Amino acid sequence: MDLKFAIYSQFTDKIDQLGASGAAEYALRLGFSAAELFSSTEGGEDILSDLTTVRGIHTTMKEHNLPVVCYSVYSNLWHNPNAEKILMQKAEFASELECPYLHHTLFPPYSLQQGDPSYEEVLEKIADSAAKIADHAAQYGVTCLYEDQGIYFNNVEGYDGFWQEMRRRCKNVGICADFGNILFVDGKPQDFLTRFVSEVKHVHIKDYLRKTVDRSPGLYWSQARKNLWLRDTMVGHGVVDFEPCMKLLQDAGYHGFYALELGHPEPFEDGVRQAMEYLTR
């Protein structure tokens, strides 16, 4: 199984720090053969904010033979009235980058508060917005991808409701299988892949340590459900059972990229080497 790795974590920051050429050289030195870019519709600096910059990055990536294989955008289609318009522009940027996929989040929160809307209410609004974005992206030859994330559209059942709605409305859609997000709703990535592997176009690789305790274990830990706590860790060190996940992808004929989304506190370059070696083995 010949694995193709894309740099995701830190790459857009490296462009900001080193310029596109320096970031590309950094990625190639670590053994990556592609890149995934990141933006957000929810505030903060976005270096991919205009067409001139995007075209410059694209030119540099081509010069270094480092294709952009996915453009990911963090967004909240429920709360942000401007997200839909921004994501349509990001689809045009993806086309300029010769990037086949625009991956964007839907409604990211992992916990419910009193008065929050029902699943059915959220599903209708989010599917409407996502379909408009996907239809717009289709004009540019870009396919929209969605990952298992948040409290509403996660795990097999929660995601399936959204996916069936999208398949009913659009042909221009696919799945980004994230190996870690499902842990926040106490699910397993192999269960998600068992159900959806035939629709997977792109993969995000990450791993977590897990504890079930009443209080935070401390630095770097994030709360999931109730007394469930997770901490990013190097691939292979945590609770994700990679072997059945990789086998499911292999058996389904997946030939796409494995984007390393490494948020662990251990040194990034050590984590890259560990992930590549572990997954290949």
Side-chain angles (χ1 to χ4, degrees):
M1 188 177 182
D2 185 19
L3 303 188
K4 300 182 296 183
F5 293 106
I7 184 171
Y8 180 22
S9 297
Q10 296 203 12
F11 185 67
T12 305
D13 289 339
K14 287 293 182 185
I15 293 176
D16 195 27
Q17 296 162 10
L18 306 175
S21 183
E25 290 167 4
Y26 176 78
L28 292 168
R29 188 169 69 251
L30 290 179
F32 291 102
S33 56
E36 180 169 349
L37 295 174
F38 175 81
S39 290
S40 175
T41 67
E42 305 308 303
E45 186 177 357
D46 181 6
I47 66 169
L48 285 87
S49 59
D50 64 87
L51 202 53
T52 300
T53 300
V54 169
R55 285 173 174 163
I57 290 172
H58 174 238
T59 298
T60 303
M61 295 297 102
K62 289 194 75 171
E63 289 171 350
H64 287 80
N65 194 28
L66 190 74
V68 178
V69 294
C70 189
Y71 182 18
S72 282
V73 184
Y74 182 84
S75 63
N76 188 326
L77 290 174
W78 180 262
H79 286 307
N80 185 349
N82 298 315
E84 189 178 303
K85 180 180 178 181
I86 296 171
L87 286 165
M88 288 182 180
Q89 183 188 48
K90 297 302 186 183
E92 299 171 31
F93 287 1
S95 176
E96 289 289 337
L97 292 162
E98 294 187 84
C99 175
Y101 302 127
L102 172 68
H103 157 249
H104 68 85
T105 58
L106 303 163
F107 188 16
Y110 275 109
S111 61
L112 290 174
Q113 307 297 325
Q114 187 174 4
D116 279 347
S118 68
Y119 179 88
E120 290 73 21
E121 290 174 296
V122 171
L123 175 61
E124 185 70 19
K125 174 177 169 53
I126 296 297
D128 280 346
S129 291
K132 290 176 186 175
I133 296 160
D135 286 342
H136 183 78
Q139 302 174 43
Y140 296 92
V142 174
T143 298
C144 287
L145 306 183
Y146 317 98
E147 68 182 3
D148 43 319
Q149 191 194 46
I151 193 70
Y152 286 94
F153 308 127
N154 207 337
N155 229 328
V156 174
E157 184 177 352
Y159 190 91
D160 189 57
F162 167 77
W163 182 243
Q164 296 305 322
E165 277 296 309
M166 292 307 295
R167 290 294 291 165
R168 184 174 65 81
R169 297 163 189 247
C170 304
K171 297 184 182 298
N172 186 46
V173 293
I175 292 175
C176 173
D178 187 293
F179 278 30
N181 290 344
I182 199 168
L183 298 175
F184 280 85
V185 291
D186 210 14
K188 297 178 180 179
Q190 57 265 42
D191 293 340
F192 185 85
L193 286 169
T194 297
R195 171 64 182 85
F196 299 109
V197 70
S198 64
E199 306 283 0
V200 171
K201 308 296 183 186
H202 189 61
V203 173
H204 283 169
I205 294 291
K206 61 179 74 162
D207 202 357
Y208 287 95
L209 301 174
R210 169 185 171 135
K211 280 182 176 290
T212 305
V213 291
D214 291 334
R215 297 182 181 180
S216 170
L219 191 63
Y220 304 124
W221 290 83
S222 300
Q223 189 171 17
R225 283 186 169 180
K226 298 180 181 177
N227 57 350
L228 175 62
W229 299 83
L230 300 171
R231 199 210 83 167
D232 287 272
T233 190
M234 288 205 276
V235 170
H237 289 195
V239 298
V240 172
D241 194 355
F242 283 95
E243 187 169 347
C245 294
M246 301 300 282
K247 188 175 189 306
L248 282 161
L249 287 163
Q250 183 179 24
D251 290 348
Y254 177 75
H255 296 296
F257 282 85
Y258 294 83
L260 300 189
E261 187 177 0
L262 309 179
H264 52 65
E266 295 87 356
F268 177 72
E269 294 184 18
D270 289 348
V272 169
R273 285 188 287 269
Q274 160 70 14
M276 288 182 174
E277 189 278 334
Y278 181 81
L279 293 171
T280 300
R281 175 163 51 83

Coordinates of all heavy atoms in Angstrom, one line a residue, residues 10-72:
Q10 N 0.2 23.2 10.5 CA 1.4 24.1 10.5 C 1.7 24.7 9.1 O 2.4 25.6 9.0 CB 2.6 23.5 11.1 CG 2.5 23.2 12.6 CD 3.8 23.1 13.3 OE1 4.9 23.5 12.8 NE2 3.8 22.6 14.5
F11 N 1.2 24.1 8.0 CA 1.6 24.5 6.7 C 1.2 25.9 6.3 O 2.1 26.7 5.9 CB 1.1 23.5 5.6 CG 1.7 23.8 4.2 CD1 3.1 23.7 4.0 CD2 0.9 24.3 3.2 CE1 3.6 24.0 2.8 CE2 1.4 24.7 2.0 CZ 2.8 24.5 1.8
T12 N 0.0 26.3 6.6 CA -0.4 27.6 6.3 C 0.3 28.6 7.1 O 0.7 29.7 6.7 CB -2.0 27.8 6.4 OG1 -2.6 26.8 5.6 CG2 -2.4 29.1 6.0
D13 N 0.5 28.3 8.4 CA 1.4 29.1 9.3 C 2.8 29.3 8.7 O 3.4 30.4 8.8 CB 1.4 28.6 10.7 CG 0.1 28.7 11.4 OD1 -0.7 29.6 11.0 OD2 -0.2 28.0 12.4
K14 N 3.3 28.2 8.2 CA 4.7 28.3 7.6 C 4.7 29.2 6.4 O 5.7 29.9 6.2 CB 5.1 26.9 7.2 CG 5.5 25.9 8.4 CD 6.7 26.4 9.1 CE 7.1 25.5 10.3 NZ 8.2 26.0 11.1
I15 N 3.7 29.2 5.6 CA 3.6 30.2 4.5 C 3.7 31.6 5.0 O 4.4 32.5 4.5 CB 2.3 30.0 3.7 CG1 2.4 28.6 2.9 CG2 2.2 31.1 2.6 CD1 1.1 28.3 2.2
D16 N 3.0 31.9 6.1 CA 2.9 33.2 6.7 C 4.3 33.5 7.3 O 4.8 34.7 7.1 CB 1.9 33.2 7.8 CG 1.6 34.6 8.3 OD1 1.7 35.5 7.5 OD2 1.2 34.8 9.5
Q17 N 5.0 32.6 7.8 CA 6.3 32.8 8.5 C 7.5 32.8 7.5 O 8.4 33.7 7.6 CB 6.6 31.7 9.5 CG 5.6 31.7 10.7 CD 5.6 30.4 11.5 OE1 6.5 29.6 11.3 NE2 4.7 30.2 12.3
L18 N 7.5 31.9 6.5 CA 8.6 31.6 5.6 C 8.4 32.1 4.2 O 9.3 32.0 3.4 CB 9.0 30.2 5.7 CG 9.3 29.5 7.0 CD1 9.5 28.0 6.9 CD2 10.5 30.2 7.7
G19 N 7.1 32.4 3.9 CA 6.8 32.6 2.5 C 6.4 31.2 1.9 O 6.7 30.2 2.4
A20 N 5.7 31.3 0.7 CA 5.3 30.0 0.1 C 6.4 29.1 -0.3 O 6.4 27.9 -0.1 CB 4.4 30.4 -1.1
S21 N 7.5 29.7 -0.8 CA 8.6 28.9 -1.2 C 9.3 28.2 0.0 O 9.6 27.0 -0.1 CB 9.7 29.8 -2.0 OG 10.7 29.0 -2.4
G22 N 9.5 29.0 1.0 CA 10.1 28.4 2.2 C 9.2 27.3 2.8 O 9.7 26.3 3.3
A23 N 7.9 27.5 2.8 CA 7.0 26.5 3.4 C 7.0 25.2 2.5 O 7.0 24.1 3.1 CB 5.6 27.1 3.5
A24 N 7.1 25.4 1.2 CA 7.1 24.3 0.3 C 8.4 23.4 0.5 O 8.4 22.2 0.6 CB 7.0 24.7 -1.1
E25 N 9.5 24.1 0.6 CA 10.8 23.5 0.9 C 10.8 22.7 2.2 O 11.3 21.6 2.3 CB 11.9 24.5 0.8 CG 12.1 25.0 -0.6 CD 13.0 26.3 -0.6 OE1 13.5 26.6 0.5 OE2 13.2 26.8 -1.7
Y26 N 10.2 23.3 3.2 CA 10.0 22.7 4.5 C 9.2 21.4 4.4 O 9.6 20.3 4.9 CB 9.4 23.6 5.5 CG 9.1 23.1 6.9 CD1 10.1 22.9 7.8 CD2 7.8 22.7 7.2 CE1 9.8 22.4 9.1 CE2 7.5 22.2 8.5 CZ 8.5 22.1 9.4 OH 8.3 21.6 10.7
A27 N 8.1 21.4 3.7 CA 7.2 20.2 3.5 C 8.0 19.1 2.8 O 7.9 18.0 3.2 CB 6.0 20.6 2.8
L28 N 8.7 19.5 1.7 CA 9.4 18.5 0.9 C 10.5 17.9 1.7 O 10.7 16.7 1.6 CB 9.9 19.1 -0.3 CG 8.8 19.6 -1.4 CD1 9.5 20.4 -2.4 CD2 8.2 18.4 -2.0
R29 N 11.2 18.7 2.6 CA 12.2 18.1 3.4 C 11.7 17.1 4.4 O 12.4 16.1 4.7 CB 12.9 19.3 4.1 CG 14.2 18.9 4.9 CD 15.0 20.1 5.3 NE 14.3 20.8 6.4 CZ 13.8 22.0 6.3 NH1 13.8 22.6 5.1 NH2 13.2 22.6 7.3
L30 N 10.5 17.3 4.8 CA 9.9 16.3 5.8 C 9.4 15.0 5.1 O 8.9 14.1 5.8 CB 8.8 17.0 6.6 CG 9.3 18.0 7.6 CD1 8.0 18.6 8.3 CD2 10.2 17.5 8.6
G31 N 9.4 15.0 3.8 CA 8.9 13.9 3.0 C 7.5 13.9 2.5 O 6.9 12.9 2.0
F32 N 6.8 15.1 2.6 CA 5.5 15.2 2.1 C 5.5 15.4 0.6 O 6.4 15.9 0.0 CB 4.8 16.4 2.7 CG 4.5 16.3 4.2 CD1 5.3 16.9 5.1 CD2 3.4 15.5 4.6 CE1 5.0 16.8 6.5 CE2 3.1 15.4 5.9 CZ 3.9 16.0 6.9
S33 N 4.4 14.9 -0.1 CA 4.3 15.0 -1.5 C 3.1 15.9 -1.9 O 2.8 16.1 -3.1 CB 4.1 13.7 -2.2 OG 3.0 13.0 -1.6
A34 N 2.4 16.5 -0.9 CA 1.3 17.4 -1.2 C 1.0 18.2 0.0 O 1.6 18.0 1.1 CB 0.1 16.6 -1.6
A35 N 0.1 19.2 -0.1 CA -0.2 20.1 1.0 C -1.7 20.3 1.1 O -2.4 20.2 0.1 CB 0.5 21.4 0.8
E36 N -2.1 20.7 2.3 CA -3.5 21.1 2.5 C -3.5 22.4 3.2 O -2.8 22.6 4.2 CB -4.2 20.1 3.4 CG -5.7 20.4 3.7 CD -6.5 19.3 4.4 OE1 -6.0 18.1 4.4 OE2 -7.6 19.5 4.8
L37 N -4.2 23.4 2.6 CA -4.2 24.8 3.1 C -5.4 24.9 4.1 O -6.4 24.2 4.1 CB -4.3 25.8 2.0 CG -3.1 25.8 1.1 CD1 -3.4 26.7 -0.1 CD2 -1.9 26.2 1.8
F38 N -5.3 26.0 4.9 CA -6.3 26.2 6.0 C -6.7 27.7 6.0 O -5.9 28.6 5.9 CB -5.8 25.8 7.3 CG -6.8 26.1 8.5 CD1 -7.9 25.3 8.7 CD2 -6.6 27.2 9.2 CE1 -8.8 25.5 9.7 CE2 -7.5 27.5 10.3 CZ -8.6 26.7 10.5
S39 N -8.0 27.9 6.2 CA -8.6 29.3 6.4 C -9.7 29.1 7.4 O -10.1 28.0 7.8 CB -9.1 29.9 5.1 OG -8.0 30.3 4.3
S40 N -10.2 30.3 7.9 CA -11.4 30.3 8.8 C -12.3 31.4 8.4 O -11.8 32.5 8.0 CB -10.9 30.5 10.2 OG -12.0 30.6 11.1
T41 N -13.6 31.2 8.5 CA -14.6 32.2 8.3 C -14.9 32.9 9.6 O -15.7 33.8 9.6 CB -15.9 31.7 7.7 OG1 -16.5 30.8 8.6 CG2 -15.6 30.9 6.4
E42 N -14.3 32.4 10.7 CA -14.7 32.9 12.0 C -13.8 33.9 12.7 O -13.7 33.9 13.9 CB -14.9 31.6 12.9 CG -15.8 30.6 12.4 CD -17.1 31.1 12.0 OE1 -17.8 31.7 12.8 OE2 -17.5 31.0 10.8
G43 N -13.1 34.6 11.9 CA -12.2 35.7 12.4 C -10.8 35.2 12.5 O -10.4 34.1 12.1
G44 N -9.9 36.2 12.8 CA -8.5 35.9 12.8 C -7.9 36.2 11.5 O -8.6 36.4 10.5
E45 N -6.5 36.2 11.4 CA -5.9 36.5 10.2 C -6.0 35.3 9.2 O -5.9 34.2 9.5 CB -4.4 36.7 10.5 CG -3.6 37.2 9.2 CD -2.1 37.5 9.6 OE1 -1.8 37.4 10.7 OE2 -1.4 37.9 8.6
D46 N -6.2 35.7 7.9 CA -6.4 34.7 6.9 C -5.5 35.1 5.7 O -5.8 36.1 5.0 CB -7.8 34.6 6.4 CG -8.0 33.5 5.3 OD1 -7.1 32.8 5.0 OD2 -9.1 33.4 4.8
I47 N -4.4 34.4 5.5 CA -3.4 34.8 4.5 C -4.0 34.5 3.1 O -3.5 35.1 2.1 CB -2.0 34.2 4.7 CG1 -2.1 32.6 4.5 CG2 -1.5 34.5 6.0 CD1 -0.7 32.0 4.4
L48 N -5.0 33.7 3.0 CA -5.6 33.4 1.7 C -6.9 34.2 1.6 O -8.0 33.7 1.5 CB -5.9 31.9 1.5 CG -4.7 31.0 1.3 CD1 -4.1 30.6 2.6 CD2 -5.1 29.8 0.5
S49 N -6.7 35.5 1.6 CA -7.9 36.4 1.6 C -8.1 37.1 0.3 O -9.1 37.8 0.2 CB -7.7 37.4 2.7 OG -6.5 38.2 2.5
D50 N -7.2 37.0 -0.7 CA -7.4 37.7 -2.0 C -6.9 36.8 -3.1 O -6.0 36.0 -2.9 CB -6.8 39.1 -2.0 CG -5.3 39.0 -1.8 OD1 -4.6 38.9 -2.8 OD2 -4.8 39.0 -0.6
L51 N -7.3 37.1 -4.3 CA -7.0 36.3 -5.4 C -5.5 36.4 -5.8 O -4.9 35.4 -6.2 CB -7.9 36.7 -6.6 CG -8.1 35.7 -7.7 CD1 -8.6 34.3 -7.2 CD2 -9.1 36.2 -8.8
T52 N -5.0 37.6 -5.7 CA -3.6 37.8 -6.0 C -2.6 36.9 -5.2 O -1.7 36.2 -5.7 CB -3.1 39.2 -5.9 OG1 -3.9 40.0 -6.7 CG2 -1.7 39.4 -6.2
T53 N -2.9 36.8 -3.9 CA -2.1 36.0 -3.0 C -2.3 34.5 -3.3 O -1.3 33.7 -3.3 CB -2.5 36.2 -1.5 OG1 -2.3 37.6 -1.2 CG2 -1.7 35.4 -0.6
V54 N -3.5 34.1 -3.6 CA -3.8 32.7 -3.9 C -3.1 32.3 -5.2 O -2.5 31.2 -5.2 CB -5.3 32.5 -4.1 CG1 -5.6 31.2 -4.7 CG2 -6.0 32.7 -2.7
R55 N -3.1 33.2 -6.2 CA -2.4 32.8 -7.4 C -0.9 32.7 -7.2 O -0.2 31.9 -7.8 CB -2.7 33.9 -8.5 CG -4.1 33.7 -9.0 CD -4.5 34.9 -9.9 NE -5.8 34.6 -10.6 CZ -6.6 35.6 -11.1 NH1 -6.1 36.8 -11.2 NH2 -7.7 35.3 -11.7
G56 N -0.4 33.6 -6.3 CA 1.1 33.5 -6.0 C 1.5 32.2 -5.4 O 2.5 31.6 -5.7
I57 N 0.6 31.8 -4.4 CA 0.9 30.6 -3.7 C 0.8 29.4 -4.7 O 1.6 28.5 -4.7 CB -0.1 30.4 -2.5 CG1 0.2 31.4 -1.4 CG2 -0.1 29.0 -2.0 CD1 -0.9 31.4 -0.3
H58 N -0.2 29.4 -5.6 CA -0.3 28.4 -6.5 C 0.9 28.3 -7.4 O 1.4 27.2 -7.7 CB -1.6 28.6 -7.4 CG -1.8 27.7 -8.5 ND1 -1.8 28.1 -9.8 CD2 -1.8 26.3 -8.5 CE1 -2.0 27.0 -10.6 NE2 -2.0 25.9 -9.8
T59 N 1.4 29.4 -7.9 CA 2.6 29.4 -8.8 C 3.8 28.8 -8.1 O 4.5 28.0 -8.6 CB 2.9 30.8 -9.2 OG1 1.8 31.4 -10.0 CG2 4.2 30.9 -10.0
T60 N 3.9 29.2 -6.8 CA 5.1 28.6 -6.0 C 4.9 27.1 -5.8 O 5.9 26.4 -5.9 CB 5.2 29.4 -4.7 OG1 5.3 30.8 -5.0 CG2 6.4 28.9 -3.9
M61 N 3.7 26.7 -5.5 CA 3.5 25.3 -5.2 C 3.8 24.4 -6.5 O 4.4 23.4 -6.4 CB 2.1 25.0 -4.8 CG 1.6 25.6 -3.5 SD 2.6 24.9 -2.0 CE 3.7 26.3 -1.8
K62 N 3.4 25.0 -7.6 CA 3.7 24.3 -8.9 C 5.2 24.2 -9.2 O 5.8 23.2 -9.7 CB 3.0 24.9 -10.1 CG 1.5 24.8 -10.1 CD 0.9 25.2 -11.4 CE 1.1 24.1 -12.4 NZ 0.3 24.4 -13.7
E63 N 5.9 25.3 -8.9 CA 7.4 25.3 -9.1 C 8.1 24.3 -8.2 O 9.1 23.8 -8.6 CB 7.9 26.7 -8.7 CG 7.5 27.8 -9.8 CD 7.9 29.2 -9.3 OE1 8.2 29.4 -8.1 OE2 7.7 30.1 -10.1
H64 N 7.5 24.0 -7.1 CA 8.1 23.0 -6.2 C 7.5 21.6 -6.3 O 7.8 20.7 -5.6 CB 8.0 23.5 -4.7 CG 8.9 24.6 -4.4 ND1 8.6 25.9 -4.7 CD2 10.1 24.7 -3.7 CE1 9.5 26.7 -4.2 NE2 10.4 26.0 -3.6
N65 N 6.6 21.5 -7.3 CA 5.9 20.2 -7.5 C 5.3 19.7 -6.2 O 5.4 18.5 -5.8 CB 6.9 19.1 -8.0 CG 6.2 17.9 -8.6 OD1 5.1 18.0 -9.1 ND2 6.9 16.8 -8.5
L66 N 4.6 20.6 -5.5 CA 3.9 20.3 -4.3 C 2.4 20.7 -4.5 O 2.0 21.8 -4.1 CB 4.5 21.0 -3.1 CG 4.0 20.6 -1.7 CD1 4.6 19.2 -1.3 CD2 4.4 21.6 -0.7
P67 N 1.6 19.8 -5.0 CA 0.2 20.2 -5.3 C -0.6 20.4 -4.0 O -0.3 19.8 -2.9 CB -0.4 19.0 -6.0 CG 0.5 17.8 -5.6 CD 1.9 18.4 -5.4
V68 N -1.6 21.3 -4.1 CA -2.5 21.6 -3.0 C -3.7 20.6 -3.3 O -4.4 20.8 -4.2 CB -3.0 23.0 -2.9 CG1 -4.0 23.2 -1.8 CG2 -1.8 24.0 -2.7
V69 N -3.9 19.6 -2.4 CA -4.9 18.6 -2.7 C -6.2 18.8 -1.9 O -7.2 18.1 -2.2 CB -4.3 17.2 -2.4 CG1 -3.2 16.8 -3.4 CG2 -3.8 17.1 -1.0
C70 N -6.2 19.7 -1.0 CA -7.4 20.0 -0.2 C -7.2 21.4 0.3 O -6.2 21.8 0.8 CB -7.7 19.0 0.9 SG -9.3 19.2 1.6
Y71 N -8.3 22.2 0.3 CA -8.4 23.5 1.0 C -9.5 23.4 2.1 O -10.6 23.2 1.8 CB -8.7 24.5 -0.1 CG -8.7 26.0 0.4 CD1 -8.2 26.3 1.7 CD2 -9.3 27.0 -0.3 CE1 -8.2 27.6 2.1 CE2 -9.4 28.3 0.1 CZ -8.8 28.6 1.3 OH -8.8 29.9 1.8
S72 N -9.0 23.5 3.3 CA -10.0 23.3 4.4 C -10.3 24.7 5.0 O -9.4 25.5 5.3 CB -9.3 22.4 5.5 OG -9.5 21.1 5.2

